[in-house]
Amino acid sequence: MATKFRKIERNGKKRTVPMNEGRKATRERTLSAREVEDLTGVGIKHPGTLRKHGYFMSSPDAVRHPALDSAVKEYGKKGVLSKLGEIYRLNFTRPQLRDIAANDIKYVSGGKKND
């Protein structure tokens, strides 16, 4: 497969760069104690509880939905919706992640906008 190139002009300078094919894999990392403290301050009381069930925003719907079903069994619909609401709020300025969180909220709530 041939590499595609695109031209970028920035600050009056032109250059040619290769275009990325496909998505890059997301890097997973553990949260520091300070980051965990920041998350608990915004309403996420137990960070990582959805991950324990296999929920990752980078996963496809076929993986996320069973993980959400498993989390609903343990925490209840209201608990999972509050966690997803905080994820939505934290990613509000990132349209792609915000849409994933919105779709997951709609999935857990049974297609309703507000539960």
Side-chain angles (χ1 to χ4, degrees):
M1 178 180 250
T3 304
K4 295 180 183 179
F5 292 91
R6 64 187 172 119
K7 295 187 183 211
I8 296 177
E9 184 176 344
R10 188 177 298 158
N11 297 332
K13 296 180 181 179
K14 294 180 183 177
R15 63 187 175 123
T16 304
V17 295
M19 292 173 52
N20 291 335
E21 295 290 329
R23 275 179 38 198
K24 289 184 179 180
T26 58
R27 293 186 302 178
E28 298 294 330
R29 66 179 182 85
T30 57
L31 297 175
S32 68
R34 185 174 195 165
E35 290 172 320
V36 169
E37 186 177 323
D38 288 343
L39 288 177
T40 56
V42 297
I44 298 177
K45 294 186 175 101
H46 304 287
T49 53
L50 292 179
R51 285 181 173 226
K52 182 175 81 172
H53 293 278
Y55 177 83
F56 296 92
M57 292 189 80
S58 60
S59 300
D61 290 348
V63 175
R64 283 196 329 269
H65 290 178
L68 289 171
D69 292 337
S70 173
V72 167
K73 285 181 185 174
E74 185 171 343
Y75 306 116
K77 189 185 282 189
K78 186 176 179 182
V80 173
L81 284 173
S82 68
K83 292 173 189 300
L84 289 173
E86 288 297 323
I87 290 172
Y88 177 87
R89 193 178 65 75
L90 288 171
N91 292 309
F92 189 76
T93 58
R94 300 174 178 164
Q96 193 173 20
L97 295 176
R98 180 184 64 206
D99 293 343
I100 291 171
N103 289 338
D104 290 342
I105 290 170
K106 191 181 288 187
Y107 173 76
V108 171
S109 65
K112 300 175 187 170
K113 282 190 174 180
N114 297 319
D115 193 37

